[in-house]
């Protein structure tokens, strides 16, 4: 399960590695993308929210976005000679 954690201090955000798998840390926008085990997510998030450098925790909906596309419109490039 993916989560986006907004932080105040990026250096302190490296400590989040002990709670799960840190995928990305944005230094400019001050957020961390990390993955947690679904079974332990609630109790881990409770511990993460207690940290002084954490502003907000959001769940990532990336795995729910449709990634398989269908080609409903015919290819128009053959008419233009490409």
């Amino acid at each position: 399960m993916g989560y986006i954690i907004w932080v105040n201090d990026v250096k302190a955000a490296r400590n989040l590695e002990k709670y799960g798998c840190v995928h990305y840390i944005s230094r400019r926008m001050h957020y961390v993308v990390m993955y947690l085990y679904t079974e332990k997510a609630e109790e881990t998030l409770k511990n993460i929210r207690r940290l002084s450098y954490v502003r907000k925790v959001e769940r990532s909906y990336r795995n729910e976005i449709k990634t398989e596309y269908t080609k409903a419109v015919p290819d128009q490039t053959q008419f233009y000679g490409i």
Side-chain angles (χ1 to χ4, degrees):
M1 183 75 73
Y3 289 93
I4 293 111
I5 301 170
W6 298 91
V7 296
N8 294 326
D9 187 15
V10 177
K11 285 186 179 180
R14 285 189 244 151
N15 294 330
L16 291 173
E17 291 180 352
K18 64 182 177 183
Y19 294 104
C21 178
V22 174
H23 180 70
Y24 178 73
I25 298 176
S26 172
R27 289 188 164 88
R28 187 168 61 97
M29 295 186 62
H30 296 279
Y31 71 89
V32 177
V33 177
M34 69 181 300
Y35 294 99
L36 303 173
Y37 289 113
T38 309
E39 301 86 32
K40 298 180 181 180
E42 289 302 320
E43 62 188 55
T44 305
L45 286 176
K46 189 168 69 173
N47 292 335
I48 289 174
R49 284 188 180 109
R50 289 182 190 166
L51 298 172
S52 62
Y53 54 88
V54 173
R55 279 190 285 162
K56 184 169 67 168
V57 178
E58 297 177 355
R59 193 172 132 238
S60 173
Y61 294 102
R62 185 169 190 256
N63 60 348
E64 298 173 11
I65 296 174
K66 179 182 163 187
T67 57
E68 294 180 12
Y69 305 103
T70 59
K71 191 172 183 179
V73 180
D75 188 17
Q76 297 291 326
T77 58
Q78 60 183 324
F79 297 114
Y80 299 113
I82 295 177

PDB file of all heavy atoms in Angstrom, residues 6-38:
ATOM      1  N   TRP A   6       3.795  14.092   3.920  1.00  0.00           N
ATOM      2  CA  TRP A   6       4.301  15.459   3.841  1.00  0.00           C
ATOM      3  C   TRP A   6       5.095  15.747   5.108  1.00  0.00           C
ATOM      4  O   TRP A   6       4.612  15.516   6.205  1.00  0.00           O
ATOM      5  CB  TRP A   6       3.143  16.440   3.688  1.00  0.00           C
ATOM      6  CG  TRP A   6       2.368  16.211   2.439  1.00  0.00           C
ATOM      7  CD1 TRP A   6       1.286  15.417   2.289  1.00  0.00           C
ATOM      8  CD2 TRP A   6       2.638  16.757   1.151  1.00  0.00           C
ATOM      9  NE1 TRP A   6       0.862  15.434   0.997  1.00  0.00           N
ATOM     10  CE2 TRP A   6       1.667  16.257   0.272  1.00  0.00           C
ATOM     11  CE3 TRP A   6       3.603  17.629   0.661  1.00  0.00           C
ATOM     12  CZ2 TRP A   6       1.638  16.594  -1.068  1.00  0.00           C
ATOM     13  CZ3 TRP A   6       3.570  17.963  -0.679  1.00  0.00           C
ATOM     14  CH2 TRP A   6       2.604  17.458  -1.524  1.00  0.00           C
ATOM     15  N   VAL A   7       6.318  16.242   4.933  1.00  0.00           N
ATOM     16  CA  VAL A   7       7.223  16.444   6.067  1.00  0.00           C
ATOM     17  C   VAL A   7       7.716  17.888   6.122  1.00  0.00           C
ATOM     18  O   VAL A   7       7.676  18.618   5.129  1.00  0.00           O
ATOM     19  CB  VAL A   7       8.433  15.486   5.989  1.00  0.00           C
ATOM     20  CG1 VAL A   7       7.999  14.049   6.110  1.00  0.00           C
ATOM     21  CG2 VAL A   7       9.212  15.691   4.707  1.00  0.00           C
ATOM     22  N   ASN A   8       8.181  18.302   7.300  1.00  0.00           N
ATOM     23  CA  ASN A   8       8.790  19.617   7.486  1.00  0.00           C
ATOM     24  C   ASN A   8      10.295  19.574   7.246  1.00  0.00           C
ATOM     25  O   ASN A   8      10.878  20.534   6.766  1.00  0.00           O
ATOM     26  CB  ASN A   8       8.536  20.131   8.905  1.00  0.00           C
ATOM     27  CG  ASN A   8       7.081  20.405   9.140  1.00  0.00           C
ATOM     28  OD1 ASN A   8       6.368  20.816   8.246  1.00  0.00           O
ATOM     29  ND2 ASN A   8       6.635  20.161  10.361  1.00  0.00           N
ATOM     30  N   ASP A   9      10.928  18.465   7.597  1.00  0.00           N
ATOM     31  CA  ASP A   9      12.377  18.335   7.514  1.00  0.00           C
ATOM     32  C   ASP A   9      12.729  17.120   6.666  1.00  0.00           C
ATOM     33  O   ASP A   9      12.391  15.989   7.022  1.00  0.00           O
ATOM     34  CB  ASP A   9      12.951  18.192   8.922  1.00  0.00           C
ATOM     35  CG  ASP A   9      14.457  18.209   8.939  1.00  0.00           C
ATOM     36  OD1 ASP A   9      15.067  18.600   7.927  1.00  0.00           O
ATOM     37  OD2 ASP A   9      15.029  17.822   9.974  1.00  0.00           O
ATOM     38  N   VAL A  10      13.410  17.357   5.550  1.00  0.00           N
ATOM     39  CA  VAL A  10      13.739  16.262   4.634  1.00  0.00           C
ATOM     40  C   VAL A  10      14.820  15.357   5.213  1.00  0.00           C
ATOM     41  O   VAL A  10      14.796  14.142   5.024  1.00  0.00           O
ATOM     42  CB  VAL A  10      14.171  16.828   3.261  1.00  0.00           C
ATOM     43  CG1 VAL A  10      14.589  15.719   2.325  1.00  0.00           C
ATOM     44  CG2 VAL A  10      13.040  17.621   2.650  1.00  0.00           C
ATOM     45  N   LYS A  11      15.771  15.933   5.942  1.00  0.00           N
ATOM     46  CA  LYS A  11      16.823  15.103   6.546  1.00  0.00           C
ATOM     47  C   LYS A  11      16.242  14.139   7.572  1.00  0.00           C
ATOM     48  O   LYS A  11      16.644  12.984   7.651  1.00  0.00           O
ATOM     49  CB  LYS A  11      17.884  15.982   7.203  1.00  0.00           C
ATOM     50  CG  LYS A  11      18.791  16.649   6.223  1.00  0.00           C
ATOM     51  CD  LYS A  11      19.899  17.379   6.938  1.00  0.00           C
ATOM     52  CE  LYS A  11      20.829  18.026   5.950  1.00  0.00           C
ATOM     53  NZ  LYS A  11      21.916  18.741   6.611  1.00  0.00           N
ATOM     54  N   ALA A  12      15.286  14.599   8.335  1.00  0.00           N
ATOM     55  CA  ALA A  12      14.651  13.731   9.322  1.00  0.00           C
ATOM     56  C   ALA A  12      13.765  12.692   8.652  1.00  0.00           C
ATOM     57  O   ALA A  12      13.498  11.636   9.216  1.00  0.00           O
ATOM     58  CB  ALA A  12      13.837  14.558  10.306  1.00  0.00           C
ATOM     59  N   ALA A  13      13.320  12.970   7.431  1.00  0.00           N
ATOM     60  CA  ALA A  13      12.443  12.036   6.716  1.00  0.00           C
ATOM     61  C   ALA A  13      13.157  10.737   6.366  1.00  0.00           C
ATOM     62  O   ALA A  13      12.506   9.719   6.133  1.00  0.00           O
ATOM     63  CB  ALA A  13      11.900  12.691   5.450  1.00  0.00           C
ATOM     64  N   ARG A  14      14.479  10.758   6.349  1.00  0.00           N
ATOM     65  CA  ARG A  14      15.214   9.514   6.094  1.00  0.00           C
ATOM     66  C   ARG A  14      14.985   8.480   7.193  1.00  0.00           C
ATOM     67  O   ARG A  14      15.189   7.298   6.988  1.00  0.00           O
ATOM     68  CB  ARG A  14      16.698   9.803   5.956  1.00  0.00           C
ATOM     69  CG  ARG A  14      17.025  10.452   4.634  1.00  0.00           C
ATOM     70  CD  ARG A  14      18.508  10.535   4.440  1.00  0.00           C
ATOM     71  NE  ARG A  14      18.862  11.955   4.388  1.00  0.00           N
ATOM     72  CZ  ARG A  14      20.020  12.442   4.763  1.00  0.00           C
ATOM     73  NH1 ARG A  14      20.943  11.661   5.237  1.00  0.00           N
ATOM     74  NH2 ARG A  14      20.267  13.729   4.672  1.00  0.00           N
ATOM     75  N   ASN A  15      14.553   8.919   8.365  1.00  0.00           N
ATOM     76  CA  ASN A  15      14.258   7.990   9.452  1.00  0.00           C
ATOM     77  C   ASN A  15      13.003   7.163   9.188  1.00  0.00           C
ATOM     78  O   ASN A  15      12.738   6.203   9.907  1.00  0.00           O
ATOM     79  CB  ASN A  15      14.089   8.754  10.763  1.00  0.00           C
ATOM     80  CG  ASN A  15      15.383   9.388  11.207  1.00  0.00           C
ATOM     81  OD1 ASN A  15      16.459   8.878  10.925  1.00  0.00           O
ATOM     82  ND2 ASN A  15      15.282  10.520  11.880  1.00  0.00           N
ATOM     83  N   LEU A  16      12.222   7.529   8.186  1.00  0.00           N
ATOM     84  CA  LEU A  16      11.009   6.774   7.860  1.00  0.00           C
ATOM     85  C   LEU A  16      11.325   5.396   7.288  1.00  0.00           C
ATOM     86  O   LEU A  16      10.433   4.562   7.181  1.00  0.00           O
ATOM     87  CB  LEU A  16      10.148   7.565   6.876  1.00  0.00           C
ATOM     88  CG  LEU A  16       9.488   8.818   7.421  1.00  0.00           C
ATOM     89  CD1 LEU A  16       8.817   9.579   6.290  1.00  0.00           C
ATOM     90  CD2 LEU A  16       8.481   8.465   8.494  1.00  0.00           C
ATOM     91  N   GLU A  17      12.562   5.142   6.922  1.00  0.00           N
ATOM     92  CA  GLU A  17      12.937   3.851   6.350  1.00  0.00           C
ATOM     93  C   GLU A  17      12.701   2.698   7.308  1.00  0.00           C
ATOM     94  O   GLU A  17      12.509   1.565   6.877  1.00  0.00           O
ATOM     95  CB  GLU A  17      14.388   3.872   5.902  1.00  0.00           C
ATOM     96  CG  GLU A  17      14.624   4.758   4.702  1.00  0.00           C
ATOM     97  CD  GLU A  17      16.073   4.777   4.269  1.00  0.00           C
ATOM     98  OE1 GLU A  17      16.927   4.212   4.994  1.00  0.00           O
ATOM     99  OE2 GLU A  17      16.347   5.365   3.215  1.00  0.00           O
ATOM    100  N   LYS A  18      12.690   2.961   8.601  1.00  0.00           N
ATOM    101  CA  LYS A  18      12.471   1.877   9.560  1.00  0.00           C
ATOM    102  C   LYS A  18      11.002   1.465   9.640  1.00  0.00           C
ATOM    103  O   LYS A  18      10.680   0.427  10.193  1.00  0.00           O
ATOM    104  CB  LYS A  18      13.000   2.249  10.936  1.00  0.00           C
ATOM    105  CG  LYS A  18      12.309   3.413  11.589  1.00  0.00           C
ATOM    106  CD  LYS A  18      12.962   3.720  12.920  1.00  0.00           C
ATOM    107  CE  LYS A  18      12.349   4.930  13.576  1.00  0.00           C
ATOM    108  NZ  LYS A  18      13.010   5.274  14.814  1.00  0.00           N
ATOM    109  N   TYR A  19      10.092   2.263   9.049  1.00  0.00           N
ATOM    110  CA  TYR A  19       8.671   1.935   9.070  1.00  0.00           C
ATOM    111  C   TYR A  19       8.206   1.210   7.815  1.00  0.00           C
ATOM    112  O   TYR A  19       7.163   0.568   7.816  1.00  0.00           O
ATOM    113  CB  TYR A  19       7.838   3.211   9.242  1.00  0.00           C
ATOM    114  CG  TYR A  19       8.043   3.876  10.571  1.00  0.00           C
ATOM    115  CD1 TYR A  19       8.823   5.018  10.679  1.00  0.00           C
ATOM    116  CD2 TYR A  19       7.479   3.359  11.718  1.00  0.00           C
ATOM    117  CE1 TYR A  19       9.023   5.636  11.894  1.00  0.00           C
ATOM    118  CE2 TYR A  19       7.680   3.961  12.951  1.00  0.00           C
ATOM    119  CZ  TYR A  19       8.445   5.100  13.025  1.00  0.00           C
ATOM    120  OH  TYR A  19       8.645   5.697  14.238  1.00  0.00           O
ATOM    121  N   GLY A  20       8.935   1.339   6.733  1.00  0.00           N
ATOM    122  CA  GLY A  20       8.550   0.699   5.478  1.00  0.00           C
ATOM    123  C   GLY A  20       9.571   0.989   4.400  1.00  0.00           C
ATOM    124  O   GLY A  20      10.678   1.442   4.673  1.00  0.00           O
ATOM    125  N   CYS A  21       9.191   0.762   3.157  1.00  0.00           N
ATOM    126  CA  CYS A  21      10.084   0.960   2.024  1.00  0.00           C
ATOM    127  C   CYS A  21       9.895   2.374   1.475  1.00  0.00           C
ATOM    128  O   CYS A  21       8.846   2.697   0.926  1.00  0.00           O
ATOM    129  CB  CYS A  21       9.775  -0.072   0.946  1.00  0.00           C
ATOM    130  SG  CYS A  21      10.776   0.111  -0.521  1.00  0.00           S
ATOM    131  N   VAL A  22      10.914   3.207   1.622  1.00  0.00           N
ATOM    132  CA  VAL A  22      10.867   4.568   1.096  1.00  0.00           C
ATOM    133  C   VAL A  22      11.221   4.506  -0.384  1.00  0.00           C
ATOM    134  O   VAL A  22      12.306   4.079  -0.764  1.00  0.00           O
ATOM    135  CB  VAL A  22      11.834   5.500   1.851  1.00  0.00           C
ATOM    136  CG1 VAL A  22      11.891   6.860   1.196  1.00  0.00           C
ATOM    137  CG2 VAL A  22      11.414   5.622   3.303  1.00  0.00           C
ATOM    138  N   HIS A  23      10.283   4.931  -1.220  1.00  0.00           N
ATOM    139  CA  HIS A  23      10.484   4.868  -2.663  1.00  0.00           C
ATOM    140  C   HIS A  23      11.101   6.161  -3.199  1.00  0.00           C
ATOM    141  O   HIS A  23      11.979   6.124  -4.056  1.00  0.00           O
ATOM    142  CB  HIS A  23       9.141   4.605  -3.345  1.00  0.00           C
ATOM    143  CG  HIS A  23       9.226   4.529  -4.827  1.00  0.00           C
ATOM    144  ND1 HIS A  23       9.838   3.482  -5.472  1.00  0.00           N
ATOM    145  CD2 HIS A  23       8.795   5.367  -5.790  1.00  0.00           C
ATOM    146  CE1 HIS A  23       9.766   3.685  -6.783  1.00  0.00           C
ATOM    147  NE2 HIS A  23       9.146   4.833  -6.996  1.00  0.00           N
ATOM    148  N   TYR A  24      10.664   7.315  -2.694  1.00  0.00           N
ATOM    149  CA  TYR A  24      11.139   8.588  -3.220  1.00  0.00           C
ATOM    150  C   TYR A  24      11.013   9.667  -2.152  1.00  0.00           C
ATOM    151  O   TYR A  24      10.035   9.694  -1.408  1.00  0.00           O
ATOM    152  CB  TYR A  24      10.310   8.977  -4.454  1.00  0.00           C
ATOM    153  CG  TYR A  24      10.683  10.295  -5.063  1.00  0.00           C
ATOM    154  CD1 TYR A  24      11.858  10.440  -5.779  1.00  0.00           C
ATOM    155  CD2 TYR A  24       9.863  11.399  -4.920  1.00  0.00           C
ATOM    156  CE1 TYR A  24      12.210  11.653  -6.343  1.00  0.00           C
ATOM    157  CE2 TYR A  24      10.195  12.619  -5.484  1.00  0.00           C
ATOM    158  CZ  TYR A  24      11.372  12.734  -6.198  1.00  0.00           C
ATOM    159  OH  TYR A  24      11.710  13.929  -6.744  1.00  0.00           O
ATOM    160  N   ILE A  25      12.005  10.552  -2.091  1.00  0.00           N
ATOM    161  CA  ILE A  25      11.963  11.716  -1.207  1.00  0.00           C
ATOM    162  C   ILE A  25      12.146  12.963  -2.064  1.00  0.00           C
ATOM    163  O   ILE A  25      13.155  13.101  -2.750  1.00  0.00           O
ATOM    164  CB  ILE A  25      13.067  11.652  -0.125  1.00  0.00           C
ATOM    165  CG1 ILE A  25      12.881  10.444   0.766  1.00  0.00           C
ATOM    166  CG2 ILE A  25      13.067  12.920   0.706  1.00  0.00           C
ATOM    167  CD1 ILE A  25      13.982  10.249   1.794  1.00  0.00           C
ATOM    168  N   SER A  26      11.168  13.858  -2.026  1.00  0.00           N
ATOM    169  CA  SER A  26      11.250  15.109  -2.770  1.00  0.00           C
ATOM    170  C   SER A  26      11.821  16.187  -1.856  1.00  0.00           C
ATOM    171  O   SER A  26      11.192  16.569  -0.867  1.00  0.00           O
ATOM    172  CB  SER A  26       9.866  15.533  -3.269  1.00  0.00           C
ATOM    173  OG  SER A  26       9.929  16.820  -3.818  1.00  0.00           O
ATOM    174  N   ARG A  27      12.990  16.688  -2.217  1.00  0.00           N
ATOM    175  CA  ARG A  27      13.626  17.724  -1.401  1.00  0.00           C
ATOM    176  C   ARG A  27      12.967  19.081  -1.624  1.00  0.00           C
ATOM    177  O   ARG A  27      12.906  19.902  -0.726  1.00  0.00           O
ATOM    178  CB  ARG A  27      15.110  17.804  -1.730  1.00  0.00           C
ATOM    179  CG  ARG A  27      15.860  16.613  -1.237  1.00  0.00           C
ATOM    180  CD  ARG A  27      17.362  16.814  -1.418  1.00  0.00           C
ATOM    181  NE  ARG A  27      18.091  15.863  -0.619  1.00  0.00           N
ATOM    182  CZ  ARG A  27      18.424  14.656  -1.024  1.00  0.00           C
ATOM    183  NH1 ARG A  27      18.076  14.265  -2.216  1.00  0.00           N
ATOM    184  NH2 ARG A  27      19.085  13.845  -0.237  1.00  0.00           N
ATOM    185  N   ARG A  28      12.479  19.306  -2.829  1.00  0.00           N
ATOM    186  CA  ARG A  28      11.901  20.612  -3.141  1.00  0.00           C
ATOM    187  C   ARG A  28      10.495  20.767  -2.583  1.00  0.00           C
ATOM    188  O   ARG A  28      10.141  21.805  -2.042  1.00  0.00           O
ATOM    189  CB  ARG A  28      11.878  20.811  -4.652  1.00  0.00           C
ATOM    190  CG  ARG A  28      11.458  22.199  -5.067  1.00  0.00           C
ATOM    191  CD  ARG A  28      11.711  22.451  -6.534  1.00  0.00           C
ATOM    192  NE  ARG A  28      10.991  21.554  -7.389  1.00  0.00           N
ATOM    193  CZ  ARG A  28       9.820  21.839  -7.973  1.00  0.00           C
ATOM    194  NH1 ARG A  28       9.276  23.005  -7.782  1.00  0.00           N
ATOM    195  NH2 ARG A  28       9.235  20.971  -8.745  1.00  0.00           N
ATOM    196  N   MET A  29       9.673  19.719  -2.700  1.00  0.00           N
ATOM    197  CA  MET A  29       8.282  19.821  -2.268  1.00  0.00           C
ATOM    198  C   MET A  29       8.032  19.220  -0.893  1.00  0.00           C
ATOM    199  O   MET A  29       6.915  19.261  -0.396  1.00  0.00           O
ATOM    200  CB  MET A  29       7.375  19.182  -3.306  1.00  0.00           C
ATOM    201  CG  MET A  29       7.403  19.940  -4.611  1.00  0.00           C
ATOM    202  SD  MET A  29       6.230  19.355  -5.806  1.00  0.00           S
ATOM    203  CE  MET A  29       4.707  19.654  -4.997  1.00  0.00           C
ATOM    204  N   HIS A  30       9.059  18.626  -0.285  1.00  0.00           N
ATOM    205  CA  HIS A  30       8.999  18.101   1.080  1.00  0.00           C
ATOM    206  C   HIS A  30       7.934  17.021   1.260  1.00  0.00           C
ATOM    207  O   HIS A  30       7.048  17.147   2.099  1.00  0.00           O
ATOM    208  CB  HIS A  30       8.768  19.229   2.097  1.00  0.00           C
ATOM    209  CG  HIS A  30       9.887  20.203   2.154  1.00  0.00           C
ATOM    210  ND1 HIS A  30      11.023  19.954   2.876  1.00  0.00           N
ATOM    211  CD2 HIS A  30      10.069  21.407   1.562  1.00  0.00           C
ATOM    212  CE1 HIS A  30      11.846  20.973   2.741  1.00  0.00           C
ATOM    213  NE2 HIS A  30      11.299  21.868   1.937  1.00  0.00           N
ATOM    214  N   TYR A  31       8.034  15.970   0.461  1.00  0.00           N
ATOM    215  CA  TYR A  31       7.169  14.824   0.681  1.00  0.00           C
ATOM    216  C   TYR A  31       7.950  13.540   0.444  1.00  0.00           C
ATOM    217  O   TYR A  31       9.002  13.539  -0.187  1.00  0.00           O
ATOM    218  CB  TYR A  31       5.915  14.868  -0.200  1.00  0.00           C
ATOM    219  CG  TYR A  31       6.150  14.626  -1.675  1.00  0.00           C
ATOM    220  CD1 TYR A  31       6.126  13.337  -2.193  1.00  0.00           C
ATOM    221  CD2 TYR A  31       6.379  15.680  -2.549  1.00  0.00           C
ATOM    222  CE1 TYR A  31       6.326  13.112  -3.537  1.00  0.00           C
ATOM    223  CE2 TYR A  31       6.572  15.465  -3.887  1.00  0.00           C
ATOM    224  CZ  TYR A  31       6.551  14.182  -4.378  1.00  0.00           C
ATOM    225  OH  TYR A  31       6.756  13.953  -5.710  1.00  0.00           O
ATOM    226  N   VAL A  32       7.422  12.452   0.997  1.00  0.00           N
ATOM    227  CA  VAL A  32       8.040  11.134   0.892  1.00  0.00           C
ATOM    228  C   VAL A  32       6.992  10.178   0.353  1.00  0.00           C
ATOM    229  O   VAL A  32       5.856  10.167   0.821  1.00  0.00           O
ATOM    230  CB  VAL A  32       8.538  10.641   2.267  1.00  0.00           C
ATOM    231  CG1 VAL A  32       9.103   9.248   2.170  1.00  0.00           C
ATOM    232  CG2 VAL A  32       9.535  11.603   2.852  1.00  0.00           C
ATOM    233  N   VAL A  33       7.374   9.371  -0.643  1.00  0.00           N
ATOM    234  CA  VAL A  33       6.515   8.305  -1.138  1.00  0.00           C
ATOM    235  C   VAL A  33       7.058   7.017  -0.561  1.00  0.00           C
ATOM    236  O   VAL A  33       8.225   6.695  -0.747  1.00  0.00           O
ATOM    237  CB  VAL A  33       6.511   8.236  -2.681  1.00  0.00           C
ATOM    238  CG1 VAL A  33       5.663   7.079  -3.161  1.00  0.00           C
ATOM    239  CG2 VAL A  33       6.027   9.535  -3.268  1.00  0.00           C
ATOM    240  N   MET A  34       6.216   6.305   0.168  1.00  0.00           N
ATOM    241  CA  MET A  34       6.682   5.059   0.765  1.00  0.00           C
ATOM    242  C   MET A  34       5.600   3.995   0.712  1.00  0.00           C
ATOM    243  O   MET A  34       4.413   4.304   0.577  1.00  0.00           O
ATOM    244  CB  MET A  34       7.177   5.277   2.191  1.00  0.00           C
ATOM    245  CG  MET A  34       6.143   5.609   3.210  1.00  0.00           C
ATOM    246  SD  MET A  34       6.851   5.865   4.848  1.00  0.00           S
ATOM    247  CE  MET A  34       7.625   4.317   5.187  1.00  0.00           C
ATOM    248  N   TYR A  35       6.026   2.759   0.778  1.00  0.00           N
ATOM    249  CA  TYR A  35       5.136   1.614   0.745  1.00  0.00           C
ATOM    250  C   TYR A  35       5.173   0.910   2.093  1.00  0.00           C
ATOM    251  O   TYR A  35       6.236   0.735   2.685  1.00  0.00           O
ATOM    252  CB  TYR A  35       5.547   0.640  -0.364  1.00  0.00           C
ATOM    253  CG  TYR A  35       5.368   1.239  -1.732  1.00  0.00           C
ATOM    254  CD1 TYR A  35       6.436   1.784  -2.426  1.00  0.00           C
ATOM    255  CD2 TYR A  35       4.112   1.277  -2.323  1.00  0.00           C
ATOM    256  CE1 TYR A  35       6.273   2.341  -3.672  1.00  0.00           C
ATOM    257  CE2 TYR A  35       3.931   1.827  -3.571  1.00  0.00           C
ATOM    258  CZ  TYR A  35       5.015   2.357  -4.236  1.00  0.00           C
ATOM    259  OH  TYR A  35       4.834   2.915  -5.475  1.00  0.00           O
ATOM    260  N   LEU A  36       3.985   0.510   2.567  1.00  0.00           N
ATOM    261  CA  LEU A  36       3.844  -0.199   3.830  1.00  0.00           C
ATOM    262  C   LEU A  36       3.107  -1.506   3.590  1.00  0.00           C
ATOM    263  O   LEU A  36       2.331  -1.631   2.645  1.00  0.00           O
ATOM    264  CB  LEU A  36       3.039   0.642   4.832  1.00  0.00           C
ATOM    265  CG  LEU A  36       3.562   2.027   5.156  1.00  0.00           C
ATOM    266  CD1 LEU A  36       2.554   2.765   6.011  1.00  0.00           C
ATOM    267  CD2 LEU A  36       4.882   1.942   5.872  1.00  0.00           C
ATOM    268  N   TYR A  37       3.335  -2.466   4.472  1.00  0.00           N
ATOM    269  CA  TYR A  37       2.565  -3.701   4.415  1.00  0.00           C
ATOM    270  C   TYR A  37       1.123  -3.404   4.793  1.00  0.00           C
ATOM    271  O   TYR A  37       0.851  -2.693   5.757  1.00  0.00           O
ATOM    272  CB  TYR A  37       3.140  -4.746   5.366  1.00  0.00           C
ATOM    273  CG  TYR A  37       4.465  -5.294   4.908  1.00  0.00           C
ATOM    274  CD1 TYR A  37       5.623  -5.027   5.622  1.00  0.00           C
ATOM    275  CD2 TYR A  37       4.560  -6.070   3.769  1.00  0.00           C
ATOM    276  CE1 TYR A  37       6.842  -5.515   5.208  1.00  0.00           C
ATOM    277  CE2 TYR A  37       5.765  -6.570   3.340  1.00  0.00           C
ATOM    278  CZ  TYR A  37       6.900  -6.296   4.062  1.00  0.00           C
ATOM    279  OH  TYR A  37       8.098  -6.776   3.634  1.00  0.00           O
ATOM    280  N   THR A  38       0.190  -3.942   4.031  1.00  0.00           N
ATOM    281  CA  THR A  38      -1.230  -3.666   4.239  1.00  0.00           C
ATOM    282  C   THR A  38      -1.699  -4.144   5.604  1.00  0.00           C
ATOM    283  O   THR A  38      -2.526  -3.491   6.243  1.00  0.00           O
ATOM    284  CB  THR A  38      -2.059  -4.341   3.136  1.00  0.00           C
ATOM    285  OG1 THR A  38      -1.515  -3.977   1.865  1.00  0.00           O
ATOM    286  CG2 THR A  38      -3.498  -3.900   3.190  1.00  0.00           C
TER     287      THR A  38
END
